[in-house]
Amino acid sequence: MVEAAIDIFFKEILQLQNNRIWRINQNSFTGTPLLKILDLSNNSLSSLAPGAFQKLRYLQELDLSSNSIIRLPESFGNSTGNITLLSVKHNKLQKMERVLLESLPNLKVVLFKDNPWQCNCNVFGLKLWLESFLYRGGISDGIICSTPGIRKGKDLLKVPYELFGACPLRTAHVHLASIHHHSFEHRSSQKHAHHSEHGEYGRSNCEPKPKPRPVSLRHAIATVVITGVICGIVCLMMLAAAVYGCAYAAITAKYHREHLAPVKQRGTPEEKEPFDGSLA
């Protein structure tokens, strides 16, 4: 038994995959502090205790794939900072805190595949971390959105930041904001009453100005197109007028050449009478 205990203590690789493990206690690995590779894939884990791996300071590879894990504790990497490979694929993760991943500074490979990721405001930090991780040369299989429906099947990295929006404030924050808002309104009303004695200048300068309406790209394009059409019509009308003027001038000149020139050459009857009389 002593030899077995010694072997376990100095064990560096522990493969526990394909079992029915459903829980990892805080002290589950105190007897194997030198573990470097731990495989817990294909079990029935749904959650992990905050200090489940706290004694594994030399752990380099951790495989948690093919379980039913819903979330990982934020303190997950507090004592496992040497992990270089983390696999959480084929679980039920909907989000992952950025602070958790930042507590794993030596991470080189992370596998996220086949989780029901919610690509809403809560995944914003994960998107930022993943972009930075890949930029530093890290390897990942990416995150494919499951919800909401408009982003289902899309790569998280290809979803623009502006589509996420801001997360709604929590109840306590909303209550605090409401208190500040009412306090501000009270101060503003007092200030307004004080300055109203001096005429229009009494209006509070702290009143929020209406935000300018954002320019619609569709309306801008439509305006450009309509303007172009109108300019084209005007140009065609000017061209038609020029052609008509040239044609009219040509016809008038031809008429003068054909009808007026012979008359001037023959002269009028009154001009010929003295000539005829002289012959008589």
Side-chain angles (χ1 to χ4, degrees), residues 127-187:
K127 176 179 169 68
L128 288 172
W129 179 88
L130 184 57
E131 288 179 342
S132 176
F133 176 71
L134 295 175
Y135 178 78
R136 297 193 308 268
I139 299 174
S140 175
D141 55 357
I143 294 177
I144 303 300
C145 301
S146 240
T147 57
I150 57 174
R151 299 181 192 128
K152 185 176 182 180
K154 293 185 178 180
D155 188 342
L156 174 63
L157 295 179
K158 296 182 180 179
V159 180
Y161 282 101
E162 54 268 19
L163 295 184
F164 289 103
C167 287
L169 297 175
R170 296 180 181 177
T171 305
H173 292 169
V174 172
H175 180 66
L176 182 61
S178 177
I179 294 175
H180 285 294
H181 177 69
H182 289 301
S183 177
F184 172 76
E185 286 185 347
H186 179 68
R187 292 196 303 269

Side-chain angles (χ1 to χ4, degrees), residues 83-215:
I83 290 181
T84 58
L85 184 148
L86 173 64
S87 177
V88 293
K89 61 183 181 180
H90 302 292
N91 277 284
K92 296 182 180 180
L93 293 168
Q94 296 181 347
K95 65 177 182 177
M96 185 176 292
E97 300 298 334
R98 181 180 179 182
V99 65
L100 184 155
L101 293 165
E102 288 179 342
S103 66
L104 302 172
N106 296 312
L107 196 61
K108 304 298 181 184
V109 180
V110 59
L111 304 177
F112 294 116
K113 186 179 179 181
D114 291 333
N115 279 281
W117 298 107
Q118 289 186 353
C119 293
N120 52 20
C121 60
N122 293 316
V123 81
F124 194 84
L126 177 58
K127 176 179 169 68
L128 288 172
W129 179 88
L130 184 57
E131 288 179 342
S132 176
F133 176 71
L134 295 175
Y135 178 78
R136 297 193 308 268
I139 299 174
S140 175
D141 55 357
I143 294 177
I144 303 300
C145 301
S146 240
T147 57
I150 57 174
R151 299 181 192 128
K152 185 176 182 180
K154 293 185 178 180
D155 188 342
L156 174 63
L157 295 179
K158 296 182 180 179
V159 180
Y161 282 101
E162 54 268 19
L163 295 184
F164 289 103
C167 287
L169 297 175
R170 296 180 181 177
T171 305
H173 292 169
V174 172
H175 180 66
L176 182 61
S178 177
I179 294 175
H180 285 294
H181 177 69
H182 289 301
S183 177
F184 172 76
E185 286 185 347
H186 179 68
R187 292 196 303 269
S188 297
S189 61
Q190 289 181 342
K191 186 176 180 179
H192 178 74
H194 175 74
H195 287 289
S196 60
E197 299 177 358
H198 302 281
E200 293 296 328
Y201 183 76
R203 294 185 180 179
S204 175
N205 293 328
C206 297
E207 294 180 359
K209 297 181 180 179
K211 296 182 179 180
R213 296 180 61 184
V215 178

Side-chain angles (χ1 to χ4, degrees), residues 64-75:
L64 298 172
S65 62
S66 300
N67 280 280
S68 300
I69 300 174
I70 298 174
R71 63 182 299 273
L72 296 176
E74 292 185 7
S75 59

